[in-house]
Amino acid sequence: MREAVAVPWFSAGLKEWIFTTDHKKIGIMYFVTGLVFFTVAGLFGMILRFEQTSPGFQVVSPSFYNYLLTGHGAVMLLWWAIAAHIGGFGNFLLPLMIGARDVAFPRLNALSYWAFFGASVIVLLTLIPGNHIKMMWTGYPPYAAHADAGVTAYYVFAIHLLGVSSIATAVNFITTYLRMRAPGIGFWNTNLYIHSLIAANVIQLIGVPSLAGAVTMLFLDRYLGTNFFNPALGGDPLLYQNVFWFYSHPAVYVMIIPIFGFFSEILATFSRKPIFGYKSMVFAIWGIAVISFIVWIHHMFTSGVPDWARVLISYTTVLVAVPTGIKIFNWIATLHGGAIILRSPMLYTLGGIFMFLIGGLTGIPNAMVAIDLGVHDSLFVVGHFHYVLGMALTMGIFGAVIYWFPKITGRMYPENLGKISFWLVFIGANIFYFTQMVAGFLGMPRRYPDYPPIPEWVTLNQISTIGALILGVGVLVFLVGMIKGLTSGEKAPANPWNSPSLEWQIDSPAPVNNFGEKPPRVEPDYHPYKYGAPPAF
Amino acid sequence: MEEVLAYPAKWWNEAVLVWLVVAVVIYAVTALPGIYFIVKYRFKPGEREIGDQEKHGHWGLEALWTIVPTIVVLVLATYSFAVFKKQRTVPEGAMTIKVTGFMWGWQVEYLDDKGNTVKTVVTAYNPTSYEVPEEQKIVVPAGKPIKVLLTSMDVIHAFYVMPAKIVEDAVPGRITYLWFQINKPGEYWVFCREFCGTGHSHMFAKLKVVPPEQFALWLKGETELAKRSNDI
Ligand code: HEM
Ligand SMILES: [Cu+2]
Ligand SMILES: [Cu+2]
């Protein structure tokens, strides 16, 4: 496979892409696949939104709505919120930020991608009518074992392949970080993005098997007649929920922690100063990772679990606010005394932090069990997690795309399109999701394609759709910007933002063999956030 | 004194208000300084080209925004605990009904003192409209706490009593419960809030709250009817 690595990505032929073991090419493939799926799932989301605009069934039937919603949820979470940026940016940036030649196991890395690709094919197969899965991404039994739920098996196999992919990636990344840092890169001068990436992958390594186990039992129940979850024969549907959320709650931190890493990198660069409280940031990341494993029952506050469990987990859940709070306060403090440049990656970052602040504050009512008893499974929850996952995350990724665009493609992302798309996404998302939260407080349940014409609900849903349209246009502008940057963007210098971080010390686009034959020289006082001269643009 | 529409909605509303005040305050102390810094510390060529490299941390401040939020969230969680206890403690003298979910409707059983079913109301699945025939409405007395015992015949559903702001899952093979009390006669919505398939968004019911005397009459009158239809 050596020869494949010898060709830069822009002159690589199909065969080199397929057989490559180069972390940069694999990263690009991951991200492009994720982005395509994001676009499709986004279209699904728009259709859902149009259906909910007014009472009655106008656009799709309820059963097709359920398919679209299952697809939207599963693809947004697993393809966009995990694979696209962990597989994409994680692969691209990890070796570059620690001064390594590649990841520790390049061929395993290719296997990760192709397992992910296999899962993608399975998901595409569900587009065929008759193959629809309609049990929602959560797949709760006994419903998932019912004929109305569609072809459960597709979901199970997709999760298995994704699981293989995630576990291989986690082993690879953790080993790479432990064993392949250039001399001079230690725990306390590693980029915060890398700290976040490793924490996220540790969670993956511990959690993914649990999810795989949950869906495997689902499969056995549905097709082979076992009774793990069948109460009539001694099974228990709540067992599934416990095993499922034991991973799927920590999974939301797998999704968001690396985004926190993007925020930290970009915020420091465009404030031209070190991140405030670097050490407390590292502790916060690991604090979140640990607490994330003891809060899953907050997804089951109304499922009939004993009251003491609800109260106990209510306490552990609110504690997550502490490390996330530390991060937000540190980011704000980073701005103090900075020399702030509002380039589009910075706008996306500030917007993302703002969205996360609202998302965090609206997470508290879900954690306070007394309030959750009234909002559980309402549109409030949908609004809340679109603030954190939907939008803080997507804005983080968009910011990261623009920020590392020069290093990945060798060209600059068109700044004007970056700014325009930011404002559209930011304004649209706030209109969209804020109204959803209000509708939820007024009682509107989630996963409802139809609802009675309660006047407040109707008004809120109509405003919400206007927001979604603005958001949709914003996303399109962003995608156009990517194509424009790729085809006709300005040639990028090696270090356009004048950042001391290692990945910027090599050419743009990153050369095939990264730093050359020898690891890069890292000064004894190296720190990724030590800014000197102002940037060149 | 203002009349309370429903329990536990009253305490729920208070809890939401408490959260909202706290959230707005936290929002203000976080976002406002942020916006101020963005405006004030702007990059200016020749004047402010580089941030203050010395401002990279402050243990006092970092400890402050670790300890204060910890206290705030623990207080909120404890307050929520207190409210939760009221939400989950069925008041003395409550009337019990048994509600069983199925795809996609509800079967409601009224019990006598000995726990025998004296009357059953079933809401039929109506995939196209939200109209409810009179005899399918769940009738309950006003001003009296109602304990709802929940279970399901097939998949998981959830019983959301909209005016009372309370929901609990109906799980096959388990019995769960919630309680509520509505003081004002009228008609109110009940929705299924756990995804249960194609008919999920049409799995609803109408709660008809009537004065207690009227409820007693309704319960008796219809019992006779139910008997007669059994004979046939
Ligand atoms: C492109 C813009 C987006 C639109 C228009 C959109 C729209 C929607 C709508 C209308 C719902 C259904 C609400 C319901 O009936 O309960 C929904 C659910 C959901 N969305 Fe999005 N969304 C978008 C982006 C995202 C993103 C970026 C993510 C995650 C990274 C995401 C994750 C989810 C999840 C997990 C659900 C819940 C699925 C379920 O109930 O099982 N969405 N979205
Ligand atoms: Cu239901
Ligand atoms: Cu339902």
Side-chain angles (χ1 to χ4, degrees):
Chain A
M1 300 298 139
R2 275 310 277 181
E3 64 279 29
V5 181
V7 187
W9 66 267
F10 46 82
S11 54
L14 186 64
K15 199 173 146 216
E16 283 137 2
W17 281 105
I18 292 176
F19 291 105
T20 190
T21 59
D22 173 23
H23 71 99
K24 297 184 288 301
K25 291 199 192 86
I26 291 175
I28 291 171
M29 292 199 288
Y30 254 115
F31 187 74
V32 171
T33 313
L35 190 66
V36 169
F37 277 81
F38 166 75
T39 315
V40 176
L43 281 175
F44 280 20
M46 293 304 285
I47 300 174
L48 300 173
R49 196 54 254 152
F50 294 143
E51 179 53 60
Q52 273 191 338
T53 308
S54 39
F57 297 108
Q58 291 87 18
V59 189
V60 289
S61 70
S63 124
F64 194 61
Y65 185 94
N66 291 345
Y67 167 62
L68 293 176
L69 187 51
T70 306
H72 174 77
V75 167
M76 280 297 187
L77 295 176
L78 302 168
W79 271 254
W80 179 242
I82 294 186
H85 67 90
I86 293 191
F89 284 90
N91 258 310
F92 194 90
L93 291 175
L94 171 61
L96 294 185
M97 281 181 167
I98 63 172
R101 172 70 194 75
D102 203 319
V103 290
F105 311 113
R107 270 179 287 189
L108 187 64
N109 204 17
L111 177 77
S112 285
Y113 174 77
W114 290 106
F116 168 61
F117 186 85
S120 308
V121 172
I122 292 182
V123 162
L124 291 177
L125 289 178
T126 69
L127 283 167
I128 301 167
N131 284 359
H132 291 349
I133 33 177
K134 294 176 283 194
M135 59 197 200
M136 299 297 133
W137 81 280
T138 42
Y140 278 10
Y143 179 69
H146 192 284
D148 192 60
V151 193
T152 310
Y154 282 109
Y155 189 61
V156 175
F157 293 147
I159 296 285
H160 282 164
L161 283 173
L162 285 175
V164 168
S165 166
S166 299
I167 291 172
T169 299
V171 169
N172 217 339
F173 283 7
I174 295 165
T175 316
T176 307
Y177 179 64
L178 290 179
R179 307 295 305 162
M180 302 194 42
R181 295 188 312 272
I185 303 281
F187 192 77
W188 294 118
N189 63 1
T190 300
N191 291 65
L192 285 173
Y193 174 65
I194 300 301
H195 279 301
S196 330
L197 184 68
I198 298 306
N201 278 287
V202 169
I203 299 179
Q204 289 281 74
L205 201 56
I206 300 171
V208 168
S210 172
L211 175 65
V215 297
T216 304
M217 290 189 270
L218 211 56
F219 181 83
L220 296 174
D221 265 18
R222 169 95 189 243
Y223 299 99
L224 298 173
T226 58
N227 294 294
F228 289 105
F229 308 131
N230 179 357
L233 290 161
D236 185 354
L238 290 195
L239 171 67
Y240 175 87
Q241 295 184 22
N242 275 306
V243 183
F244 177 85
W245 287 114
F246 179 77
Y247 167 68
S248 296
H249 184 76
V252 307
Y253 299 103
V254 172
M255 302 171 195
I256 203 68
I257 295 178
I259 304 300
F260 290 167
F262 292 153
F263 289 165
S264 296
E265 302 296 325
I266 295 172
L267 200 68
T269 295
F270 292 100
S271 309
R272 314 303 304 159
K273 72 187 271 282
I275 265 303
F276 193 90
Y278 174 92
K279 281 195 180 167
S280 58
M281 286 302 225
V282 176
F283 285 125
I285 291 168
W286 287 100
I288 294 172
V290 170
I291 300 177
S292 78
F293 277 105
I294 49 170
V295 300
W296 79 90
I297 289 176
H298 66 227
H299 293 274
M300 303 165 64
F301 272 167
T302 64
S303 67
V305 292
D307 287 353
W308 64 262
R310 308 187 199 192
V311 171
L312 185 72
I313 298 301
S314 175
Y315 275 97
T316 56
T317 304
V318 293
L319 284 181
V320 180
V322 174
T324 36
I326 294 175
K327 297 196 70 82
I328 293 186
F329 291 124
N330 279 342
W331 285 324
I332 302 285
T334 303
L335 296 170
H336 183 248
I340 295 167
I341 304 168
L342 292 183
R343 285 283 289 209
S344 50
M346 182 67 161
L347 286 177
Y348 268 117
T349 294
L350 292 171
I353 293 173
F354 175 88
M355 295 303 270
F356 195 83
L357 176 60
I358 297 199
L361 292 172
T362 55
I364 297 176
N366 298 315
M368 291 169 68
V369 58
I371 302 186
D372 191 67
L373 292 193
V375 295
H376 200 88
D377 276 319
S378 75
L379 269 194
F380 175 77
V381 177
V382 177
H384 154 73
F385 68 66
H386 277 92
Y387 263 92
V388 273
L389 280 185
M391 287 305 134
L393 176 132
T394 300
M395 293 173 97
I397 298 183
F398 284 6
V401 167
I402 303 179
Y403 182 71
W404 280 289
F405 205 75
K407 192 54 60 195
I408 299 170
T409 67
R411 293 177 186 274
M412 303 296 285
Y413 184 100
E415 175 63 12
N416 52 355
L417 293 184
K419 286 213 167 96
I420 295 169
S421 69
F422 165 75
W423 286 109
L424 290 171
V425 168
F426 185 69
I427 292 167
N430 274 293
I431 296 175
F432 178 1
Y433 299 121
F434 201 83
T435 44
Q436 274 195 325
M437 292 200 294
V438 179
F441 263 132
L442 297 181
M444 182 162 169
R446 68 190 280 200
R447 298 164 171 177
Y448 261 38
D450 189 12
Y451 50 94
I454 296 171
E456 298 83 26
W457 292 12
V458 179
T459 317
L460 287 165
N461 274 294
Q462 282 166 350
I463 303 173
S464 188
T465 299
I466 297 172
L469 283 170
I470 302 175
L471 167 63
V473 174
V475 172
L476 278 184
V477 173
F478 176 81
L479 295 176
V480 169
M482 278 188 76
I483 295 168
K484 230 183 128 201
L486 208 56
T487 52
S488 61
E490 252 176 81
K491 274 238 158 319
N495 192 355
W497 320 123
N498 212 339
S499 159
S501 180
L502 275 189
E503 83 271 22
W504 295 106
Q505 311 314 315
I506 51 176
D507 283 345
S508 297
V512 274
N513 56 358
N514 296 357
F515 299 89
E517 287 308 309
K518 278 207 260 26
R521 235 173 66 88
V522 179
E523 303 297 332
D525 62 344
Y526 165 81
H527 202 281
Y529 309 122
K530 199 181 261 173
Y531 295 91
F537 55 82
Chain B
M1 212 181 86
E2 207 194 329
E3 211 204 325
V4 176
L5 171 67
Y7 292 98
K10 177 181 186 288
W11 308 311
W12 186 85
N13 289 332
E14 288 166 4
V16 169
L17 196 66
V18 168
W19 159 73
L20 198 61
V21 169
V22 174
V24 168
V25 170
I26 298 177
Y27 179 80
V29 301
T30 316
L32 295 181
I35 292 169
Y36 173 72
F37 296 156
I38 295 171
V39 173
K40 176 148 185 235
Y41 300 106
R42 198 61 74 72
F43 179 90
K44 284 193 203 72
E47 215 176 292
R48 174 180 278 279
E49 294 194 336
I50 179 91
D52 189 340
Q53 303 299 307
E54 293 313 306
K55 289 191 175 143
H56 55 67
H58 186 293
W59 282 113
L61 277 175
E62 288 164 50
L64 180 76
W65 56 59
T66 309
I67 294 163
V68 174
T70 309
I71 296 171
V72 171
V73 295
L74 288 179
V75 169
L76 282 178
T78 306
Y79 165 67
S80 134
F81 182 15
V83 176
F84 178 73
K85 256 176 97 173
K86 293 194 273 185
Q87 286 168 316
R88 299 290 297 164
T89 312
V90 185
E92 294 283 314
M95 177 187 115
T96 302
I97 59 176
K98 268 170 44 180
V99 173
T100 309
F102 58 89
M103 291 160 90
W104 293 280
W106 306 98
Q107 172 186 305
V108 182
E109 291 166 66
Y110 295 81
L111 311 177
D112 66 12
D113 303 336
K114 295 189 210 72
N116 299 317
T117 304
V118 293
K119 184 174 169 58
T120 306
V121 172
V122 179
T123 63
Y125 176 43
N126 180 348
T128 47
S129 97
Y130 285 95
E131 298 299 323
V132 189
E134 201 52 36
E135 73 278 6
Q136 293 186 12
K137 288 179 179 158
I138 305 173
V139 182
V140 292
K144 193 171 162 77
I146 318 276
K147 177 175 184 182
V148 184
L149 291 175
L150 285 161
T151 190
S152 164
M153 283 181 212
D154 37 48
V155 305
I156 304 177
H157 305 275
F159 195 75
Y160 175 58
V161 186
M162 188 147 125
K165 306 283 188 196
I166 189 90
V167 65
E168 187 76 12
D169 284 5
V171 185
R174 280 182 186 241
I175 296 171
T176 57
Y177 77 93
L178 59 79
W179 77 270
F180 68 89
Q181 169 180 337
I182 298 172
N183 292 336
K184 212 171 118 220
E187 293 199 357
Y188 302 92
W189 288 108
V190 166
F191 292 106
C192 175
R193 277 251 290 247
E194 182 63 63
F195 180 73
C196 57
T198 307
H200 173 51
S201 67
H202 275 266
M203 186 166 162
F204 61 96
K206 266 281 168 78
L207 204 58
K208 187 170 170 186
V209 181
V210 298
E213 319 80 60
Q214 201 178 326
F215 174 75
L217 281 178
W218 174 84
L219 195 62
K220 254 204 250 133
E222 299 281 324
T223 316
E224 303 298 280
L225 270 181
K227 274 217 188 89
R228 227 178 305 150
S229 65
N230 276 350
D231 293 342
I232 302 166

